[in-house]
Amino acid sequence: MLGDHAEQDVAFELCPIEGSQGTFKILQYSLLYADNHILAGSNTDSQWLVQAFDMLTKHYPITLGHRVQLPDKNIIVVSQDDRMKQRVYQHAENLSVAEFDEIKYHRNLWPPALDQLLSEKTANIDCLTSAVITRLKNGYLITLSVSHIVADAAGVAVLLHQWASLAKQLFPGGSNSHGNIMPKLPVDFDHSGYWKKLKSYPSNSHPYVDHVQGQDFGNLDDIQTKLASYYKTGTLEDKEALSMCVLCVSAADIANIAKQFNPASATSPLHGVQILYALLWQRYVMAALGVCSTARNYEAPTFLNLLHNTRSLVSSPDYVGNGVSTAYVSSTITEIIETPVIELAHKIKPFINSVTPGAAVHMAEAICDTESMFAVKAVYICSTAASHMTISNASRMPFYDIDFGLGKPEAVIWGSRPTEGMSSWLPNKDGGVVINFGIKDDIYNALKRDRGLNDFVSFVN
């Protein structure tokens, strides 16, 4: 028995990789739906969504737990009583779907009660999963908040699809509302199994780990305290607060980027998204340089971190837990500034979708090593000069195929707390991408003035 937990509680001890500080974050996705049944005068409520969520979480009981930090262990405790207590929140706002769609990327314009409710879900890092179902005049905003301990972006997408699959069959008046509603769900959720499979590969060198290991980042206890505060509040006492800035790049914009930057003679032109990686990295570094140039060493290494889905390397594609590794492109500020965008894009290309099991093992070992992990996080969060950038590109994930019985969503909205230099890419309804970028206000304002970037992207907020 662990601490003061009740006799009926079940405790799961985490393996090191998902118990690290890097997973002390809440991933939050909101999907906006129009509901013609409401328009037609139906009395449809959201109970079918609540029932489907109950079924989903019972299939993965660890999602109903809460994290407990013990002296030498990281524990998830799942209560066997009141399993749904404070897990599903039903809310209502006097807005139409069209009205909400207009402000979806302007969080400061959201109804205060809704903004506060969803913000509370990203602040409670010890609650592993929760859902908020917001009833609008003629539709719904369905929000899922999941601890990074439980799943990464790809895993959350799997959970959303499964929740929707259950809900669609329970939808009032639907053809399957009285049938056998439990679809076959993937059961591969064993983090320790993933870890053992990954560890079976020999470790290869990882340039970013090699860079941070052995460096003096100061008192690691202080860094640990700062990181714990950061993941709970979204900011550090000695750093400026961050904003989540939103950039929209339409399918036409992506095609235009490819046309403008690829040489006419190119036999293997790069995709516009690949070029956008380089363009955004270069302009971000230049904007940060202009804002805080006194803190810069032009020859110091800076990194573009590309997050990769490693499920196909060691597990099934529908594995729900964490299956992410990293590929870091190293450069110097001078090189980034002076290198043409298309050349920088060609430098990045070999690192896209190219993570090896050996590199994944090396990074995982660093995450599991406390000193190395804090050093890695210190570079991103506790350093004084922001020149590193992370790209988590989920724009090809089928979020717009998630159907709760209401058809396809009108929008997919990222709601997690910002991390400096972290950009999360989601699909746009038109086939483009929406980039959610954690960035300081002064750097964002510098980007807005940069014609080298704003000729190709739209700054939304």
Side-chain angles (χ1 to χ4, degrees):
M1 197 52 51
L2 300 169
D4 297 326
H5 306 311
E7 290 291 332
Q8 65 268 26
D9 290 350
V10 176
F12 298 86
E13 182 176 352
L14 300 174
C15 66
I17 191 168
E18 78 262 14
S20 76
Q21 286 276 6
T23 54
F24 293 1
K25 182 180 178 71
I26 300 295
L27 305 179
Q28 186 180 90
Y29 296 84
S30 295
L31 284 70
L32 179 65
Y33 291 91
D35 183 5
N36 293 326
H37 295 77
I38 296 177
L39 285 172
S42 167
N43 291 321
T44 298
D45 61 18
S46 56
Q47 195 55 42
W48 93 100
L49 295 169
V50 175
Q51 185 179 351
F53 186 77
D54 185 21
M55 295 169 63
L56 175 71
T57 51
K58 285 179 179 177
H59 191 73
Y60 299 116
I62 199 171
T63 61
L64 292 176
H66 59 277
R67 187 182 63 85
V68 177
Q69 188 75 50
L70 298 180
D72 298 315
K73 296 179 180 179
N74 213 326
I75 301 294
I76 288 177
V77 174
V78 177
S79 175
Q80 300 303 295
D81 293 330
D82 299 323
R83 297 173 63 90
M84 295 299 294
K85 185 177 181 181
Q86 295 186 329
R87 296 296 177 180
V88 181
Y89 300 78
Q90 298 187 66
H91 185 68
E93 290 290 349
N94 191 32
L95 287 174
S96 69
V97 170
E99 289 170 332
F100 190 86
D101 192 51
E102 287 291 320
I103 62 172
K104 60 181 179 290
Y105 300 134
H106 299 268
R107 190 70 179 252
N108 60 314
L109 298 180
W110 285 24
L114 176 61
D115 177 54
Q116 180 178 354
L117 180 59
L118 296 188
S119 295
E120 288 172 355
K121 304 305 157 231
T122 60
N124 185 6
I125 61 174
D126 297 325
C127 178
L128 299 187
T129 310
S130 63
V132 176
I133 302 166
T134 303
R135 177 75 174 269
L136 303 175
K137 285 181 180 178
N138 60 329
Y140 292 89
L141 184 71
I142 300 174
T143 303
L144 180 63
S145 302
V146 179
S147 169
H148 209 331
I149 289 174
V150 173
D152 55 23
V156 175
V158 172
L159 291 174
L160 280 167
H161 275 279
Q162 293 178 310
W163 182 15
S165 176
L166 293 165
K168 189 174 183 179
Q169 296 181 71
L170 288 168
F171 188 79
S175 59
N176 296 320
S177 59
H178 300 293
N180 181 9
I181 61 173
M182 190 65 181
K184 181 180 179 181
L185 300 179
V187 295
D188 194 352
F189 190 78
D190 184 359
H191 289 336
S192 63
Y194 173 86
W195 176 239
K196 289 175 183 176
K197 292 175 185 177
L198 194 63
K199 288 281 287 183
S200 68
Y201 292 94
S203 173
N204 294 338
S205 177
H206 196 298
Y208 186 69
V209 175
D210 295 341
H211 166 65
V212 299
Q213 285 181 331
Q215 293 201 29
D216 182 9
F217 290 99
N219 189 310
L220 291 178
D221 290 337
D222 290 344
I223 291 176
Q224 182 177 11
T225 301
K226 286 184 176 183
L227 288 172
S229 172
Y230 177 83
Y231 284 111
K232 200 166 187 69
T233 66
T235 188
L236 294 170
E237 292 182 0
D238 57 348
K239 295 192 73 174
E240 301 172 43
L242 301 174
S243 297
M244 183 65 79
C245 303
V246 182
L247 293 75
C248 285
V249 191
S250 68
D253 291 332
I254 293 172
N256 184 40
I257 290 171
K259 180 179 179 181
Q260 293 293 323
F261 287 95
N262 279 306
S265 59
T267 56
S268 300
L270 296 182
H271 191 278
V273 170
Q274 295 175 329
I275 300 172
L276 185 57
Y277 285 1
L279 179 63
L280 187 58
W281 187 27
Q282 182 190 73
R283 311 320 286 191
Y284 172 60
V285 169
M286 292 176 69
L289 179 67
V291 168
C292 48
S293 59
T294 57
R296 297 295 173 160
N297 175 358
Y298 281 68
E299 301 308 314
T302 184
F303 293 89
L304 176 66
N305 173 18
L306 302 174
L307 299 185
H308 290 291
N309 186 345
T310 61
R311 285 163 171 75
S312 60
L313 297 178
V314 298
S315 189
S316 61
D318 50 10
Y319 166 68
V320 175
N322 283 287
V324 168
S325 189
T326 56
Y328 286 87
V329 187
S330 176
S331 189
T332 67
I333 292 175
T334 298
E335 290 171 346
I336 292 175
I337 293 173
E338 296 180 350
T339 302
V341 170
I342 191 64
E343 292 184 19
L344 191 59
H346 277 285
K347 179 178 180 177
I348 294 170
K349 182 182 177 182
F351 294 86
I352 299 175
N353 298 324
S354 63
V355 67
T356 64
V361 171
H362 194 51
M363 174 54 78
E365 288 174 340
I367 291 173
C368 293
D369 177 78
T370 301
E371 184 168 338
S372 296
M373 182 271 294
F374 284 141
V376 169
K377 290 296 173 182
V379 170
Y380 265 87
I381 296 175
C382 299
S383 66
T384 58
S387 60
H388 308 297
M389 178 177 163
T390 296
I391 292 177
S392 174
N393 189 351
S395 63
R396 291 189 295 177
M397 292 183 186
F399 285 101
Y400 282 92
D401 292 337
I402 299 174
D403 181 1
F404 287 85
L406 302 166
K408 294 186 176 183
E410 302 295 319
V412 180
I413 306 160
W414 174 259
S416 302
R417 288 178 177 271
T419 299
E420 187 168 2
M422 177 74 186
S423 64
S424 299
W425 301 37
L426 289 176
N428 205 350
K429 193 174 182 180
D430 77 342
V433 298
V434 178
I435 303 172
N436 303 272
F437 202 173
I439 192 170
K440 294 176 182 175
D441 289 341
D442 51 0
I443 297 177
Y444 186 58
N445 290 331
L447 282 177
K448 283 184 174 180
R449 297 189 296 267
D450 183 354
R451 291 294 301 275
L453 181 63
N454 61 31
D455 283 349
F456 302 100
V457 306
S458 298
F459 293 82
V460 177
N461 58 357

